[in-house]
Amino acid sequence: MEYGPNRPLYFLREVYLFFIFIFTSTIMLLCKYRIVQCRFSLYRCVMRINFELLDIRAFLAIYDIRNFRLAAEAVGLSQPALSRRIQALEASLGAPLLERSRRGVSPTTIGRELEPLLRRVISELESSILASGDMGPKQHGRITIASIPTAAIDFLPRVIQEFNQLYPNIRFRILDLSSNEGLEAVASGEAEFGINILGSTHPDILLTPLMIDPFVLVCRRDHQLAQQATVSWADVTEHRLIGVSRESGNRFVLDNALAQNSIQIRWAYEVNHVSTAMGLTDRGLGASILPLLAAPLKSNQNITAVPIIEPKITRTIGLLQRRGAHLSTAARVFRDRLISKWPEEV
């Protein structure tokens, strides 16, 4: 984005307005829990917030790792210094964020609610700094993506690998979530954008279709159907089949299409994760019914995919973004690169 001759002033105004938003949101959340005193209404709270970004980083490190010693190493502090940072943050917010016990450390209710907001403080600040200049190989920052697991197995890591060769200092946080959870992560702002199955809608989400992904028979190369150019569902149902859990978005799409065509499948195995299905397939225990995008054909030479027709069942994959959300320069560049790679996968 070009800001013109007043670009530095525009950038400072963006950062200022963003922190006003964060301050107001934090006040409203703390008022909700009656942690600070409110006068007249929810929006008029008296509170003093005085903490540093390193305090937030310390809290998020413990939130992710759930161990003080390892979290201290992750942020480059001693364990006592990390503890002081957490104490300072809790004192500023007027509420305990972490519960310490013999079993370890876990976030409190207010800690869990504040976590996405505080994570966004860090992410948006890095994004604003990135947006103030052109994207270059020495740029730092982090991109948070909510992806369905089938896209995160092979496709997404390959695009990230290429991207990091150009921008080695850009870090990634990948939320490999179910389709419904991924939708909520983007809507809440926890993720900058998402890769998801298009179907469910949300008033705050923009959907961009990218590809049609067919369901295929994934089997070993020595399987009876492996050499066929195509197979029908009647052919497939004669063999031992491996399917994903009924809670999966893929299973929902598949079951609906099969029911509409009066096709019944007796699954020999049902699993929660595609990696488990591929382990069973690789052992020759059966063949999996999976979206083509989920089939690890490039990483496992013993596996092949056979198109299933009569009928051909597909799902639509696309990008999710919040309406009106401003992507950081790094996220925008990565998103555009991601879109450019999709045609290679169809």
Side-chain angles (χ1 to χ4, degrees):
M1 181 182 295
E2 295 295 332
Y3 299 143
N6 294 321
R7 182 175 181 177
L9 293 177
Y10 186 96
F11 164 64
L12 290 175
R13 187 184 70 178
E14 267 195 341
V15 174
Y16 173 76
L17 291 176
F18 168 70
F19 276 101
I20 289 295
F21 165 76
I22 291 297
F23 178 82
T24 304
S25 300
T26 305
I27 291 290
M28 291 174 63
L29 184 59
L30 294 174
C31 286
K32 171 184 174 183
Y33 284 96
R34 301 182 183 275
I35 291 171
V36 297
Q37 293 182 344
C38 301
R39 295 181 180 177
F40 306 113
S41 73
L42 180 66
Y43 305 99
R44 299 184 62 183
C45 299
V46 179
M47 177 182 175
R48 180 183 179 185
I49 294 182
N50 181 25
F51 53 80
E52 300 178 9
L53 289 179
L54 188 54
D55 300 341
I56 301 177
R57 290 188 186 277
F59 167 69
L60 294 177
I62 297 173
Y63 190 98
D64 292 336
I65 301 172
R66 305 297 171 94
N67 181 284
F68 269 80
R69 181 180 61 81
L70 296 178
E73 293 177 359
V75 295
L77 294 173
S78 66
Q79 191 168 331
L82 182 77
S83 297
R84 287 194 295 270
R85 290 282 177 180
I86 297 301
Q87 291 168 1
L89 182 60
E90 291 177 329
S92 293
L93 295 177
L97 301 180
L98 298 168
E99 293 178 337
R100 303 152 181 87
S101 67
R102 293 180 179 179
R103 296 181 179 180
V105 58
S106 60
T108 62
T109 300
I110 187 68
R112 285 192 296 271
E113 293 242 8
L114 277 175
E115 178 265 339
L117 187 63
L118 295 177
R119 200 178 293 279
R120 190 175 173 191
V121 170
I122 298 296
S123 178
E124 292 286 351
L125 181 61
E126 291 176 340
S127 299
S128 297
I129 293 172
L130 277 171
S132 68
D134 297 327
M135 185 74 171
K138 294 184 178 181
Q139 294 285 7
H140 290 258
R142 184 172 71 171
I143 303 170
T144 301
I145 305 169
S147 174
I148 51 174
T150 49
I153 292 173
D154 184 61
F155 169 71
L156 185 58
R158 285 192 285 112
V159 180
I160 290 175
Q161 182 181 34
E162 294 177 7
F163 186 83
N164 274 155
Q165 289 175 352
L166 298 174
Y167 310 108
N169 296 319
I170 300 298
R171 297 172 290 117
F172 285 84
R173 181 176 179 235
I174 301 171
L175 309 175
D176 46 343
L177 302 170
S178 68
S179 54
N180 288 334
E181 292 171 334
L183 186 73
E184 290 301 322
V186 175
S188 68
E190 184 179 6
E192 293 184 82
F193 63 90
I195 303 171
N196 213 318
I197 303 170
L198 299 192
S200 301
T201 59
H202 191 287
D204 297 328
I205 294 293
L206 290 174
L207 310 176
T208 305
L210 293 177
M211 71 173 290
I212 303 298
D213 189 24
F215 284 84
V216 297
L217 181 74
V218 181
C219 59
R220 285 184 12 163
R221 293 188 178 276
D222 58 1
H223 190 275
Q224 187 177 347
L225 299 177
Q227 303 307 316
Q228 302 277 45
T230 60
V231 292
S232 68
W233 285 99
D235 297 329
V236 167
T237 54
E238 296 297 320
H239 296 266
R240 294 177 66 81
L241 296 176
I242 303 163
V244 295
S245 165
R246 294 179 184 274
E247 298 179 0
S248 163
N250 293 319
R251 180 66 178 270
F252 180 79
V253 172
L254 182 60
D255 282 351
N256 281 349
L258 292 175
Q260 290 173 11
N261 290 276
S262 301
I263 300 171
Q264 293 186 346
I265 293 180
R266 292 184 59 190
W267 301 101
Y269 306 93
E270 292 190 52
V271 301
N272 288 331
H273 303 289
V274 171
S275 57
T276 306
M278 294 315 306
L280 295 173
T281 301
D282 201 27
R283 285 290 181 178
L285 296 175
S288 297
I289 305 294
L290 295 172
L292 181 59
L293 188 62
L297 304 180
K298 294 184 179 181
S299 59
N300 190 335
Q301 300 300 315
N302 295 323
I303 298 296
T304 188
V306 184
I308 308 175
I309 58 174
E310 301 178 12
K312 182 179 181 181
I313 299 176
T314 65
R315 63 177 187 168
T316 302
I317 301 295
L319 285 183
L320 309 182
Q321 287 183 234
R322 296 192 312 281
R323 294 182 186 274
H326 170 71
L327 291 181
S328 66
T329 302
R332 188 174 65 251
V333 171
F334 181 75
R335 179 204 59 190
D336 294 344
R337 189 174 189 85
L338 197 65
I339 292 173
S340 72
K341 292 294 180 180
W342 280 109
E344 300 176 8
E345 303 300 316
V346 178

